[in-house]
Amino acid sequence: MTHPMPQTPLGVALIGTGFMGKCHALAWRTVAATFGGAHPRLEVLCDTPLDRAQAFAGQFGFDRATDDWRSAVADPAVDVVSITTPNGMHRPMAEAALRAGKHVWLEKPMALTLADAEAMARLAAAHPGQVTILGYNYLRSPAFQAAVRLIGSGAIGTPKAFRGTYDEDYSADPALPWSWRLTHAEGGLGALGDIGCHLVSQMVALMGPVAEVTALTQIAIPTRPSPEGPKPVENEDSALALVRFASGAQGSFAASRVAHGRKCRLQWEVHGSDGTLVFDQESMNELWLYRAGEAGFTRHLTGPEQPDFAAFCPAAGHNFGFNEQKVIEARDLVSAIAGGPACGPDFAAGLAIERVIHAMAASGGRPVQLQGESHDEAA
């Protein structure tokens, strides 16, 4: 696939300086060096308080700093806005950016509620000249892209079943303090919105649209300590689901933020009529392939023969990393702005992911139908 790169520098505003804000900053500073084209103009960085924004503007290489996100979004020197803020701010910031005529790079989850995501997708559809992309960076892994191509080429025959798990332990300690992430009003969904949506994005890219889910969720640690005393946890610590795809294939899904010892176990298997593919993000530079009749699985290491790897390194087995996925995501965004292929998940595809995780949250052990909704995933 050809990715034309912009020859005129794009002006960038970045809102947020946490983990994902730094990832965006690194990607903006690296994308042209890796893939060519004009280097972006890092115009304005926004965070609160102002002295924090000023310190990170210097560290990240932005020309200016502000503590007013509305002025950053409206800035006439800005063409594209990176939004890496807490979940509750996603909708107002993204909508303001679209109304200001900007392209939008928004971290997942798309919004707090399904109604918010639907409104955002409608607004994006009303601004067809502006590119939107959501931060599902695991879709950019060369190993994952190779898996998509292997399935598409028929390497394992017809996909019949999917088994996926995304486990982490960042909330496993019951002594960890209460935070906004544990509330519906500011955090939205819990494990489903934070990590489960990543698994859904990969599941749909590999297997196609979801027709039905039957799910259970659990709050494993009902209260968390705070200076005011114990406070309730409102959203789920874990979720389990059975999945039926529009193709007729079946699947299982599990996500947990309280799985002791798991750091980034985004693991899946696709069972086909003629073979099996296996991947685990904790070993993200390996893809395992079994073809019927062979003696066992074959390990495929990431290397320059896989999509986008060679732009970073010419030698196989030298490993790919988390931040490199984000650089590819930035490449896809700026290429789409320059008239290249549509990038995704855009807000329309992101809404499809939101529908799946919100159906899981609402299921309560009962089947929820999704067939008839649009679940196309542009990876």
Side-chain angles (χ1 to χ4, degrees):
M1 183 183 295
T2 302
H3 293 276
M5 298 297 285
Q7 300 308 305
T8 301
L10 292 167
V12 176
L14 171 61
I15 309 176
T17 58
F19 171 31
M20 295 315 300
K22 188 173 186 178
C23 289
H24 278 233
L26 289 169
W28 282 121
R29 291 185 63 85
T30 307
V31 62
T34 306
F35 292 106
H39 287 267
R41 292 180 285 103
L42 305 185
E43 289 288 342
V44 57
L45 183 143
C46 178
D47 206 341
T48 57
L50 182 58
D51 59 354
R52 176 182 175 89
Q54 291 169 334
F56 277 102
Q59 179 177 330
F60 292 170
F62 280 77
D63 287 347
R64 291 169 283 129
T66 182
D67 59 358
D68 179 4
W69 69 263
R70 291 176 178 81
S71 69
V73 165
D75 194 311
V78 169
D79 302 299
V80 56
V81 180
S82 278
I83 301 171
T84 68
T85 56
N87 304 345
M89 305 179 77
H90 286 188
R91 180 181 176 181
M93 289 180 175
E95 290 187 340
L98 287 169
R99 291 190 176 105
K102 316 298 186 183
H103 309 287
V104 179
W105 186 4
L106 174 65
E107 275 307 307
K108 43 58 59 188
M110 189 170 170
L112 288 176
T113 68
L114 185 56
D116 285 342
E118 289 170 342
M120 293 162 69
R122 285 194 300 269
L123 185 61
H127 293 77
Q130 293 158 237
V131 176
T132 60
I133 186 171
L134 290 157
Y136 286 99
N137 49 284
Y138 297 121
L139 295 172
R140 268 69 191 183
S141 160
F144 181 78
Q145 288 295 322
V148 171
R149 285 161 171 76
L150 282 167
I151 291 175
S153 71
I156 62 169
T158 302
K160 297 292 187 179
F162 174 90
R163 294 181 184 174
T165 302
Y166 194 169
D167 291 333
E168 295 200 14
D169 67 355
Y170 59 87
S171 292
D173 183 355
L176 286 175
W178 182 92
S179 78
W180 61 267
R181 289 185 178 277
L182 309 177
T183 69
H184 292 305
E186 295 185 71
L189 297 179
L192 284 167
D194 197 15
I195 57 178
C197 58
H198 276 299
L199 180 56
V200 171
S201 75
Q202 296 205 341
M203 179 174 75
V204 173
L206 293 166
M207 302 294 294
V210 172
E212 180 184 278
V213 299
T214 305
L216 293 171
T217 62
Q218 180 187 53
I219 299 176
I221 303 173
T223 63
R224 294 279 184 176
S226 79
E228 296 80 34
K231 286 190 176 182
V233 174
E234 298 176 1
N235 51 29
E236 74 286 345
D237 288 320
S238 63
L240 300 171
L242 299 177
V243 180
R244 182 170 58 82
F245 298 95
S247 67
Q250 64 183 12
S252 64
F253 168 103
S256 175
R257 64 188 181 189
V258 292
H260 283 285
R262 297 300 186 184
K263 302 305 177 185
C264 188
R265 191 193 182 217
L266 175 54
Q267 190 275 341
W268 51 258
E269 297 188 3
V270 177
H271 301 165
S273 58
D274 298 319
T276 298
L277 273 174
V278 179
F279 174 78
D280 189 333
Q281 179 67 24
E282 288 185 353
S283 302
M284 67 174 290
N285 287 283
E286 300 177 359
L287 181 66
W288 292 83
L289 170 64
Y290 176 80
R291 299 177 194 262
E294 294 182 350
F297 280 88
T298 302
R299 183 178 68 155
H300 295 259
L301 292 176
T302 51
E305 74 280 2
Q306 293 176 339
D308 294 321
F309 185 99
F312 296 89
C313 180
H318 281 54
N319 291 353
F320 207 75
F322 181 90
N323 285 304
E324 282 83 354
Q325 296 173 136
K326 218 67 186 170
V327 178
I328 297 171
E329 198 168 85
R331 186 279 312 275
D332 290 348
L333 169 61
V334 300
S335 177
I337 293 171
C343 64
D346 61 7
F347 280 11
L351 174 59
I353 296 170
E354 294 288 326
R355 284 176 172 147
V356 174
I357 61 174
H358 282 276
M360 290 178 179
S363 168
R366 298 179 299 275
V368 178
Q369 304 290 325
L370 289 100
Q371 197 164 12
E373 303 288 359
S374 173
H375 293 278
D376 295 335
E377 178 71 53

